[in-house]
Amino acid sequence: MPEMTKEEIDQKYNHRDLPKVRNYPLYAYQCFMKIFAIVFFGIGAMFLAIVVFPFIRLFSKRKGDDFGIDARLYVSHTFRNFLGWLSISQVCKRKVDDLEAYKNIHSKIIIANHPSLLDFVYIMSLVPNSTCIVRGNLTKTPLAGVIKQAYITNTTTFEDMCAECKKLTDKGCNVIIFPEGTRSPRHGRNNYKKGAARIALYCNSGVQPIFIGGSDKYGLGKHDPLWSYNHSEAFLYDFKMLPEISIEEYKGLSEPIAAKRLTEKMEEVIRSAGDEYYKNYTGKTCNNY
């Protein structure tokens, strides 16, 4: 996929329509705390990989590839604590429609819209027995140790990726995939990619859609400046679990047609939920869904 020009980036990701900052001291504090949280997150990831994961490997009853189950459970617990600290610090707030329902998701392909950097962190905190397909270039960041040991990168062949996902879903784990493939633009919409549908069909797993609503995520979106934050309110993440999408009606179709139609269904469900949500939302959002 060709890189976007500066003009195309400005057209899709500019924030000129945001309201002016209301409270500059608070804005500066929230920008600083956001940056501090990013740094803290990176240091924490290195600590998990270097100190905690070897400890889990040593004492876990699960051996070999199953070590990842215990590792991800611990990461989920860590994410909950991290997000709790962000809430106390007035950086992010969270609303969840039914907390217990998220804990009871098993052997599903979880899809969601992707407005910000924290989407995966929040979903992992809500659904403990989950993994995620992440970009391979993240293995060149401080997150490398955690990703290589507990998650799936998109640098492997698609067949190997599907096989790994099926191995996990057969054990009751879930796989989180963002069908857009990248964070949502501020203007316009990304096309949904077929990878999530193809993996769901391969794994013979139902698809569990989640819609992420709430306030504008400026500061955590793609191409947002590091020193930036929502101009008028704290980040609010509002999670809505949508009805499961069954793959039964797509099984009799050829793989390309089944993947195409299932992808269209995923997009329809998420977009419709977003349209309905923002009819009633009193805040302002510029992140599309």
Side-chain angles (χ1 to χ4, degrees):
M1 184 177 178
E3 292 187 7
M4 291 191 295
T5 64
K6 289 183 179 179
E7 291 76 15
E8 289 171 330
I9 291 174
D10 179 74
Q11 183 179 14
K12 293 188 73 173
Y13 296 97
N14 79 77
H15 55 276
R16 290 186 289 272
D17 56 339
L18 287 178
K20 292 183 178 180
V21 175
R22 297 176 181 176
N23 185 329
Y24 280 97
L26 178 61
Y27 181 76
Y29 163 78
Q30 290 173 322
C31 286
F32 171 79
M33 289 302 296
K34 184 201 75 173
I35 296 170
F36 179 79
I38 292 172
V39 174
F40 182 78
F41 189 89
I43 294 172
M46 290 189 288
F47 179 80
L48 284 175
I50 297 171
V51 178
V52 177
F53 280 7
F55 186 84
I56 293 175
R57 283 186 185 277
L58 185 62
F59 292 99
S60 174
K61 294 181 180 179
R62 296 184 176 96
K63 301 300 179 183
D65 293 340
D66 286 346
F67 148 79
I69 297 174
D70 284 335
R72 288 186 291 271
L73 287 172
Y74 189 86
V75 169
S76 177
H77 174 74
T78 303
F79 283 176
R80 285 194 295 275
N81 289 336
F82 173 73
L83 294 169
W85 170 69
L86 289 184
S87 178
I88 293 171
S89 303
Q90 296 297 305
V91 176
C92 297
K93 298 181 290 183
R94 186 196 75 177
K95 287 177 62 179
V96 182
D97 47 356
D98 185 350
L99 190 58
E100 287 302 315
Y102 290 86
K103 296 178 182 179
N104 292 322
I105 300 174
H106 301 286
S107 299
K108 299 292 186 291
I109 303 301
I110 298 174
I111 63 165
N113 55 314
H114 197 8
S116 80
L117 278 172
L118 286 178
D119 305 331
F120 157 68
V121 179
Y122 269 108
I123 295 175
M124 270 293 300
S125 73
L126 291 169
V127 191
N129 57 330
S130 296
T131 187
C132 186
I133 297 177
V134 298
R135 300 194 316 273
N137 59 6
L138 289 178
T139 58
K140 300 176 182 178
T141 71
L143 305 178
V146 171
I147 289 171
K148 289 178 180 179
Q149 296 184 71
Y151 299 98
I152 304 170
T153 63
N154 61 5
T155 52
T156 60
T157 66
F158 189 75
E159 290 73 19
D160 288 343
M161 196 187 308
C162 287
E164 182 65 21
C165 290
K166 180 166 176 53
K167 183 167 63 175
L168 290 168
T169 54
D170 285 348
K171 295 176 181 178
C173 296
N174 306 288
V175 179
I176 303 166
I177 305 175
F178 298 103
E180 292 175 77
T182 187
R183 278 168 283 169
S184 308
R186 297 189 62 78
H187 308 283
R189 289 176 168 177
N190 292 326
N191 293 323
Y192 274 39
K193 302 181 184 302
K194 297 177 184 177
R198 292 176 64 190
I199 290 172
L201 292 165
Y202 183 95
C203 296
N204 194 30
S205 297
V207 177
Q208 179 57 65
I210 296 173
F211 178 74
I212 306 172
S215 64
D216 193 290
K217 307 301 188 298
Y218 176 61
L220 294 174
K222 193 169 184 178
H223 298 294
D224 290 348
L226 183 61
W227 186 266
S228 61
Y229 191 87
N230 185 305
H231 284 187
S232 55
E233 60 183 317
F235 295 132
L236 170 64
Y237 285 79
D238 191 357
F239 289 87
K240 305 292 183 185
M241 185 185 295
L242 307 176
E244 180 182 332
I245 301 172
S246 172
I247 63 168
E248 293 302 317
E249 64 180 282
Y250 306 98
K251 287 184 177 179
L253 304 173
S254 65
E255 196 275 339
I257 294 176
K260 179 177 183 295
R261 292 187 181 175
L262 181 54
T263 302
E264 290 171 349
K265 180 64 175 179
M266 292 177 182
E267 185 168 6
E268 176 192 343
V269 168
I270 296 289
R271 305 284 197 215
S272 297
D275 290 342
E276 185 63 28
Y277 180 87
Y278 286 113
K279 281 182 184 177
N280 304 312
Y281 183 66
T282 56
K284 166 71 174 171
T285 181
C286 290
N287 289 110
N288 287 298
Y289 41 86

